[in-house]
Amino acid sequence: MNKKDPTTNQVNKKLGFFDSLAEGFGWFQIVSSFLFLGCLLGLGIYVLLQNKIGLIIAIGVAILGLIIGIRMATKAWKGKGTIDLISRKSATPELDDSVEK
């Protein structure tokens, strides 16, 4: 039961329970990946500057990673969907050719 919205020119999808659950897991994966990168970068900064300033900067970088992850995941969810984004990234033929056989 997809209806086209004339104001945004997008198809409004009504997701079932399992589709919503899968989209939620995809959203969480995107957020956690950016948070993980922010934490790694923050850890590197803290290792270099082992004082209160370094700790504050490291926590700020980790929080920035969380915020960026939330924004990217929400944008993907509102667009084509988080599962579509994740499956497109993992099914690129360029990456398949780089592995030697």
Side-chain angles (χ1 to χ4, degrees):
M1 191 183 268
N2 295 338
K3 293 183 180 178
K4 195 162 199 166
D5 186 7
T7 58
T8 60
N9 217 10
Q10 293 180 348
V11 176
N12 293 329
K13 299 182 283 186
K14 188 168 187 173
L15 300 176
F17 174 73
F18 291 109
D19 292 333
S20 297
L21 189 65
E23 289 292 325
F25 280 127
W27 186 89
F28 182 73
Q29 284 179 338
I30 295 170
V31 170
S32 62
S33 66
F34 279 97
L35 177 62
F36 180 71
L37 289 174
C39 288
L40 279 180
L41 193 61
L43 179 66
I45 290 171
Y46 181 69
V47 167
L48 292 174
L49 307 170
Q50 293 184 357
N51 54 21
K52 289 183 182 180
I53 301 289
L55 181 63
I56 291 170
I57 293 171
I59 291 172
V61 168
I63 291 172
L64 184 65
L66 177 66
I67 292 170
I68 291 171
I70 290 171
R71 291 190 65 177
M72 292 290 288
T74 304
K75 184 178 178 181
W77 189 326
K78 289 180 178 179
K80 290 188 174 185
T82 58
I83 299 301
D84 183 63
L85 176 73
I86 291 171
S87 62
R88 265 190 312 164
K89 296 297 181 192
S90 64
T92 55
E94 292 85 16
L95 296 177
D96 293 338
D97 293 338
S98 66
V99 177
E100 290 186 30
K101 296 178 182 176

